[in-house]
Amino acid sequence: MNKDRAVNNAQQGPAARQAAMAEQVLADGTATAAELAERFGVSLMTIHRDLDELERQGIVRKFRGGVTAQPSGVFESNVQYRLKTMRAEKAAVADRALKLIEPGMAIMLDDSTSTLEIARRLRLGEVTPLTVVTNFLEAINLLSDQRGIHLMALGGDYDPLHSSFLGVSCVEAIGQLRVDVCFTSTSAVNGGYAYHQEQHIVSVKRAMLDAAARNILLIDHTKLARVALHRVVPLSRFDLLLVDDGASAEALRDLDEHKVTYEVCARTGPEAPTVTKGSDDRAGTT
């Protein structure tokens, strides 16, 4: 954002300034209060009031001297930030996940930006007919007019920070369904468990896992060796974990020690080989 635009937003009032500020932090990941005060031409006191409001909305979180859109153990990033990060890594695992989908299946996608990459590939129409169930508005918008796909949108309470439908109504709707495969992601994986920061997200993910004959976990390598506030499920609940090839040897050893079936997916493209390891010590390429 150029300085003239920042000044114009500042002159338009708090709402416009806060929107511009959120846009900048979501793009850059972090910013200091001093940097924002200079860029927007307002006092530090004003900046801190703006940041308090953005934090209240769940868009950013404050730390001493600044603000960040990056996740923590108790803070899940805004969907607009997550849409811009780790794109190559998410593409690698989505390419592999796509090969697990066969025409005629019913599949479920959670509200993660990792599974959104699957939806992007399904939009190409290479796997039809197909039934897709999701609570993620981004995926619904992508697939709503796709021929050959029967789209089932899960209702509930709309959460703009996640661009998805959540809550009791969503959980109850999921409980009425049975799908062939559920593709999901989560914020952190460590010690044989999947974790997430937010309890209301956890309840929906658990319901999705219960509704599927087979469960696949998609994560980028930054999720490994991290924890968040809430345990979602043991990794044994997943038939397969897909992670990109940025995963460290130490993080993969942790998966081995907990007998997790996983595949490491190359980020160089869908034709790259992947190494498979699992609870029965299998190894090979796919």
Side-chain angles (χ1 to χ4, degrees):
M1 180 187 302
N2 61 47
K3 189 170 183 179
D4 289 341
R5 183 179 173 190
V7 171
N8 288 337
N9 283 317
Q11 293 172 345
Q12 290 173 9
R17 183 177 62 251
Q18 289 163 12
M21 196 178 303
E23 179 183 346
Q24 180 190 332
V25 177
L26 290 173
D28 297 343
T30 60
T32 68
E35 290 170 345
L36 294 171
E38 181 179 0
R39 180 175 293 255
F40 289 93
V42 294
S43 69
L44 277 173
M45 184 177 296
T46 298
I47 286 294
H48 280 293
R49 283 198 298 267
D50 289 340
L51 295 181
D52 286 341
E53 175 59 22
L54 294 178
E55 185 174 50
R56 186 193 66 79
Q57 295 174 25
I59 297 173
V60 300
R61 62 185 172 91
K62 294 180 69 176
F63 59 87
R64 186 177 179 86
V67 66
T68 182
Q70 297 173 356
S72 72
V74 296
F75 177 85
E76 167 71 314
S77 297
N78 181 284
V79 66
Q80 296 305 318
Y81 177 75
R82 291 185 284 121
L83 284 169
K84 299 173 183 177
T85 61
M86 309 301 289
R87 290 293 301 273
E89 290 79 2
K90 293 170 184 175
V93 296
D95 285 334
R96 175 66 184 105
L98 189 68
K99 296 177 182 179
L100 303 173
I101 303 173
E102 299 176 3
M105 278 186 168
I107 70 168
M108 189 173 288
L109 305 177
D110 73 353
D111 62 351
S112 65
T113 53
S114 294
T115 63
L116 183 64
E117 292 298 323
I118 299 176
R120 295 186 197 280
R121 285 148 181 77
L122 293 177
R123 187 168 172 78
L124 299 177
E126 296 179 0
V127 187
T128 57
L130 196 67
T131 296
V132 178
V133 183
T134 186
N135 66 328
F136 196 14
L137 185 58
E138 303 289 332
I140 293 169
N141 289 336
L142 270 178
L143 300 175
S144 60
D145 60 351
Q146 180 60 46
R147 294 184 61 181
I149 290 183
H150 174 212
L151 179 64
M152 297 181 66
L154 295 166
D157 299 318
Y158 180 66
D159 186 328
L161 297 181
H162 296 87
S163 190
S164 63
F165 297 90
L166 304 167
V168 174
S169 298
C170 183
V171 170
E172 290 180 348
I174 295 168
Q176 302 302 311
L177 302 173
R178 183 68 174 173
V179 299
D180 296 297
V181 188
C182 174
F183 296 94
T184 187
S185 187
T186 195
S187 302
V189 168
N190 200 336
Y193 285 89
Y195 293 85
H196 198 277
Q197 298 96 330
E198 298 174 84
Q199 189 172 11
H200 64 301
I201 299 290
V202 169
S203 61
V204 172
K205 289 184 186 293
R206 287 176 178 169
M208 287 183 165
L209 298 178
D210 290 340
R214 192 176 187 212
N215 290 301
I216 312 296
L217 180 64
L218 284 68
I219 57 171
D220 66 72
H221 68 272
T222 65
K223 309 289 183 64
L224 293 173
R226 290 178 53 187
V227 295
L229 185 59
H230 299 283
R231 279 186 179 181
V232 183
V233 290
L235 294 180
S236 58
R237 286 291 308 276
F238 298 98
D239 297 275
L240 180 64
L241 181 153
L242 301 177
V243 64
D244 67 272
D245 58 2
S248 69
E250 181 180 0
L252 296 180
R253 279 196 299 272
D254 183 68
L255 296 179
D256 288 329
E257 289 173 3
H258 289 89
K259 303 185 183 304
V260 177
T261 301
Y262 67 88
E263 295 187 14
V264 178
C265 307
R267 287 172 287 180
T268 53
E271 301 303 322
T274 59
V275 179
T276 306
K277 296 184 179 181
S279 57
D280 55 359
D281 294 326
R282 291 173 296 172
T285 58
T286 57

